[in-house]
Amino acid sequence: MSYYKVDNLEQYFKHYNKSVREPRKFWGKIAEENFTWYQQWEKVVDFNMAEADIKWFTEAKLNITKNTIDRHLNKRGTKTAIIFEPNDPNEEALHITYNELHQRVCKMANVLREQGIQKGDRVCIYLPIIPELAVSILACARIGAIHSVVFAGFSASAVATRIMDSACKMVLTADGGFRGNKTIELKEIIDEALEKCPSVTRVLVTKRTNTPIQMKEGRDQWLQPLLEEASDNSVAEIMDAEDPLFILYTSGSTGKPKGMVHTTAGYMVHTAYTFKNVFNYEENDIFWCTADIGWITGHSYIVYGPLLNGATTVIFEGVPSYPDFSRFWQIIEKHQITQFYTAPTAIRALAKESLEYVNSYQLQSLKVIGSVGEPINEEAWHWFNDHVGAKKCPVVDTWWQTETGGIMIAPIAFVTPTKPTYATLPLPGIQPVLMDEKRNEIEGNQLVGSLCIKFPWPGIARTIWGDHQRYKDTYFSDFPGKFFTGDGALRDEVGYYRITGRVDDVVIVSGHNLGTAPIEDAINEHPAVAESAIVGFPHEVKGNALYGFVILKETGEYRNKENLFKEINQHITDHVGPIAKLDKIQFVCELPKTRSGKIMRRILRKIAAGDFTDFGDTSTLLNPEIIDQIKDGKI
Ligand code: PRX
């Protein structure tokens, strides 16, 4: 019996139970039957949760690009692997076959090797959503270099932090990127970032926007001429199962971003398996995930998951509102998309616009629609289900994280009955538990708790680049022996999970995971600011928006608060990026602090949300009177 595909609910429970009773047999069989290996593993999994030490498929040898590309060439060489839909609808879409993808990746891999990149070197990729981005990722994987894709909306200083943290040797970028009616000057941002990054000796630049740029002698080169010269045959490096495949930075609740490290074999098995099942992938499907490849969703479900299954995956350069709000629907009709995977923030934004935009297009090709990145509210769920899925496409609300590598809790399309706002059941192999405040496992249903996972799964990130202690402290110390997700969840009467949101200091704004600390650091750099605290508050479209409580220095120089608000937002844009700008600001004299000096954020969250009902236990506050002052200041 194959475990790779679940066909009905009864089989789901069978596979699920097998995966819990005999996880080694379960994952071992999936790995053996569906992938190409140079050498088999010794142990399917070897772990010590207390030490945060997890290994999958020990001693196995493979190259993931053999599995994403070469393996398909015989049967699917002329099948489209990637459809590229440009920002401008008048520019022709590009169809790249598996044969062409193989050629492009080999050429790129050879260029990287010629430029001195070797197995284990880190390569920063700062590109728009164009085919070169997917090709660069795969070329790194081909030669065993570790890719570190940085979202092309981050500022120079945010990129620099990420490049320095993992000491990247090379940056792959473009002259610029198109996004709606804007052009983003990517090379200029990289030039500024690299002033602080001595490890980078080579920059390869793709031409996309024809923006005039500076080329630094000895460091920068145009990519195209190098590709033209390169051979289209490239031997794949033999990688160990646990060799790092990539680093992807995610926000932490404190300090600098965390470089989550994903390794080769486990990530491969997890993303391939979840893609196949959750989306009910079949051979002739055209899969479209609208995420940015700079986030984990793009890594796992635009690039790796689909290509591992020999699928056709769409990559879209633009935004849902350009040239108008019908763009998504137009693309679905144009490419006859069968699975459409997007984020609640996009759904809410589009649901606010006229229904005419949706109704003007034929969306009958769709069979599964999915959501990811934050809790989907009931109204958005129904709008998506009624108007996009025409009530016939299962809505797969998929819960997972950068840290988990792939989907963890989600309906399996056409197998698991869906329920609005519920991510429903864990996928086979995933063992979630809810923990109470006393750190005990909550048995039974209809309860809320902290969401942990009690057994390793193949896609789990193995460490934080350069800081294993932080990895251990962040994920394995709150609930010993378990992985703590940072999310709260509720389990209903039949065991379905509903994710209620972050329980730590991370705020999800328009699906972007933002740590409060780096934003506060940026605000505090403003000369007028003494201290600040930011929290999220509910926002109709973004899910959450940021509310800043700011204490000013007593210099009296900054009397114009409106200008000050603008300047503070500019500081945030420069240090973190425009996605982290504050929607609201309130100047206060003090912040509510405990005797140990910790800001009591739950109080600020309530004030920001306009909920003044019950502030709970404030006995540990040093300055309880400040609550009324801040509250009155808000009114
Ligand atoms: O709070 C959860 C929320 O997004 C967080 C992970 O963010 P990130 O690492 O950026 O990865 C996003 C894409 C996988 C989670 O801790 N989240 C993600 N998916 C859902 C969700 N919250 C509720 N429902 C979801 N389906």
Side-chain angles (χ1 to χ4, degrees):
M1 165 158 130
S2 158
Y3 291 125
Y4 195 56
K5 180 74 180 74
V6 178
D7 291 320
N8 53 54
L9 201 55
E10 193 191 333
Q11 212 180 51
Y12 161 80
F13 286 112
K14 235 182 185 161
H15 287 201
Y16 189 82
N17 292 338
K18 175 82 181 176
S19 77
V20 172
R21 264 185 292 116
E22 296 180 285
R24 291 168 181 82
K25 279 205 177 138
F26 176 78
W27 288 113
K29 199 155 172 0
I30 288 177
E32 198 178 315
E33 289 174 356
N34 298 285
F35 303 91
T36 302
W37 304 86
Y38 296 122
Q39 182 184 303
Q40 275 257 351
W41 46 92
E42 279 178 5
K43 287 186 184 163
V44 171
V45 60
D46 192 11
F47 66 97
N48 175 345
M49 293 288 258
E51 285 308 312
D53 183 12
I54 295 157
K55 297 187 191 80
W56 280 88
F57 309 109
T58 62
E59 308 301 324
K61 305 278 183 242
L62 73 159
N63 186 292
I64 198 167
T65 68
K66 284 272 172 194
N67 287 280
T68 49
I69 312 172
D70 303 45
R71 184 158 63 100
H72 307 306
L73 294 180
N74 271 342
K75 204 171 134 200
R76 307 187 179 97
T78 55
K79 176 177 174 177
T80 301
I82 293 176
I83 298 176
F84 170 56
E85 173 66 26
N87 180 60
D88 178 353
N90 298 317
E91 190 182 327
E92 212 172 309
L94 198 66
H95 291 245
I96 301 171
T97 64
Y98 273 93
N99 282 333
E100 288 160 353
L101 183 63
H102 181 257
Q103 252 181 15
R104 283 187 179 224
V105 170
C106 285
K107 274 177 169 279
M108 186 74 195
N110 286 328
V111 168
L112 296 180
R113 279 189 175 127
E114 278 156 23
Q115 296 293 318
I117 301 298
Q118 296 174 351
K119 181 173 175 173
D121 286 343
R122 275 80 60 207
V123 173
C124 169
I125 304 179
Y126 189 68
L127 280 168
I129 309 302
I130 55 177
E132 285 78 0
L133 174 47
V135 169
S136 301
I137 286 176
L138 295 167
C140 285
R142 185 100 180 158
I143 68 168
I146 303 169
H147 55 81
S148 170
V149 181
V150 175
F151 170 58
F154 274 129
S155 68
S157 129
V159 185
T161 310
R162 287 158 176 77
I163 292 177
M164 281 189 292
D165 183 70
S166 47
C168 294
K169 248 182 151 169
M170 176 187 270
V171 177
L172 298 171
T173 189
D175 49 354
F178 297 122
R179 255 185 102 66
N181 51 16
K182 286 194 220 136
T183 302
I184 315 213
E185 297 181 343
L186 298 176
K187 176 61 166 57
E188 200 179 301
I189 297 173
I190 286 297
D191 287 341
E192 191 188 330
L194 292 190
E195 283 169 20
K196 294 190 222 147
C197 304
S199 62
V200 175
T201 53
R202 289 271 183 275
V203 177
L204 302 184
V205 187
T206 301
K207 192 170 265 199
R208 176 63 185 140
T209 54
N210 282 317
T211 309
I213 57 166
Q214 307 273 339
M215 293 295 266
K216 189 169 168 186
E217 224 8 268
R219 187 192 70 183
D220 304 350
Q221 294 168 85
W222 287 106
L223 179 64
Q224 268 87 351
L226 299 175
L227 286 174
E228 275 158 32
E229 294 284 295
S231 141
D232 58 9
N233 206 345
S234 152
V235 177
E237 197 76 34
I238 297 177
M239 305 299 289
D240 190 272
E242 283 297 335
D243 277 337
L245 174 64
F246 65 87
I247 302 171
L248 189 59
Y249 286 87
T250 184
S251 308
S253 49
T254 52
K256 60 177 188 176
K258 298 172 290 195
M260 303 313 305
V261 177
H262 282 284
T263 59
T264 309
Y267 177 81
M268 172 179 81
V269 171
H270 188 105
T271 51
Y273 173 77
T274 50
F275 174 79
K276 171 83 179 157
N277 282 285
V278 173
F279 300 105
N280 186 250
Y281 171 69
E282 290 168 337
E283 186 64 39
N284 295 321
D285 289 345
I286 312 276
F287 182 85
W288 182 24
C289 164
T290 69
D292 192 296
I293 297 181
W295 306 119
I296 191 71
T297 312
H299 280 58
S300 302
Y301 299 105
I302 296 179
V303 182
Y304 286 112
L307 297 178
L308 284 164
N309 284 282
T312 301
T313 180
V314 175
I315 69 178
F316 174 46
E317 186 182 27
V319 292
S321 54
Y322 178 81
D324 64 37
F325 288 100
S326 65
R327 190 67 195 277
F328 273 6
W329 323 126
Q330 183 233 330
I331 294 174
I332 292 174
E333 180 184 295
K334 177 175 172 188
H335 296 298
Q336 293 290 292
I337 305 294
T338 45
Q339 289 97 340
F340 175 61
Y341 190 30
T342 193
T345 183
I347 298 169
R348 287 189 297 263
L350 294 167
K352 276 182 62 179
E353 303 301 326
S354 159
L355 259 185
E356 273 303 292
Y357 287 120
V358 194
N359 294 341
S360 311
Y361 291 89
Q362 304 288 329
L363 308 183
Q364 286 87 332
S365 58
L366 289 175
K367 66 171 192 180
V368 179
I369 55 178
S371 163
V372 60
E374 58 184 306
I376 178 165
N377 50 306
E378 189 125 12
E379 210 183 329
W381 194 99
H382 284 294
W383 187 87
F384 198 35
N385 183 44
D386 295 355
H387 301 294
V388 181
K391 294 189 182 154
K392 68 173 180 55
C393 304
V395 178
V396 291
D397 176 1
T398 63
W399 174 83
W400 58 295
Q401 314 178 293
T402 305
E403 293 85 341
T404 68
I407 300 171
M408 302 287 280
I409 304 180
I412 294 178
F414 306 110
V415 170
T416 321
T418 60
K419 175 173 177 182
T421 76
Y422 280 75
T424 74
L425 296 172
L427 295 179
I430 309 304
Q431 300 187 38
V433 281
L434 293 181
M435 309 296 289
D436 68 16
E437 281 177 359
K438 297 201 179 91
R439 296 179 160 56
N440 295 320
E441 197 173 321
I442 300 174
E443 305 283 347
N445 291 340
Q446 280 185 295
L447 288 159
V448 185
S450 295
L451 180 63
C452 289
I453 316 288
K454 71 173 177 193
F455 192 86
W457 62 99
I460 185 175
R462 304 296 195 262
T463 190
I464 291 176
W465 183 263
D467 198 350
H468 193 70
Q469 188 61 41
R470 187 176 178 200
Y471 175 70
K472 203 168 132 182
D473 293 346
T474 310
Y475 303 106
F476 295 89
S477 66
D478 290 282
F479 301 94
K482 300 186 173 62
F483 171 89
F484 176 42
T485 63
D487 282 333
L490 172 151
R491 193 164 50 215
D492 79 357
E493 60 286 356
V494 298
Y496 272 20
Y497 286 86
R498 175 186 183 158
I499 312 302
T500 49
R502 303 290 309 183
V503 293
D504 57 12
D505 293 337
V506 171
V507 186
I508 301 182
V509 178
S510 300
H512 299 297
N513 199 331
L514 301 173
T516 51
I519 305 172
E520 286 163 4
D521 289 346
I523 299 175
N524 298 349
E525 292 224 348
H526 190 285
V529 173
E531 201 183 344
S532 62
I534 60 166
V535 294
F537 71 99
H539 185 282
E540 218 189 315
V541 174
K542 301 179 185 179
N544 295 291
L546 296 179
Y547 191 120
F549 295 89
V550 174
I551 305 178
L552 294 180
K553 287 182 185 156
E554 285 177 9
T555 59
E557 278 169 41
Y558 283 87
R559 301 221 178 271
N560 186 332
K561 299 275 166 61
E562 221 163 275
N563 281 349
L564 188 53
F565 185 18
K566 280 191 195 139
E567 285 176 31
I568 285 175
N569 265 339
Q570 191 56 47
H571 264 253
I572 297 176
T573 305
D574 295 344
H575 286 81
V576 186
I579 45 171
K581 283 202 286 195
L582 305 182
D583 264 44
K584 288 193 184 159
I585 198 164
Q586 183 179 346
F587 297 101
V588 297
C589 314
E590 276 178 55
L591 292 165
K593 285 193 179 166
T594 62
R595 283 164 211 286
S596 57
K598 211 170 173 314
I599 297 170
M600 215 183 249
R601 283 173 199 276
R602 64 178 174 80
I603 290 180
L604 296 178
R605 262 184 232 124
K606 281 185 77 98
I607 295 178
D611 170 8
F612 305 145
T613 46
D614 173 18
F615 289 104
D617 179 14
T618 53
S619 60
T620 55
L621 276 185
L622 194 62
N623 52 352
E625 69 289 348
I626 193 66
I627 299 179
D628 279 341
Q629 284 183 31
I630 299 181
K631 197 178 86 183
D632 295 346
K634 182 167 194 275
I635 298 163

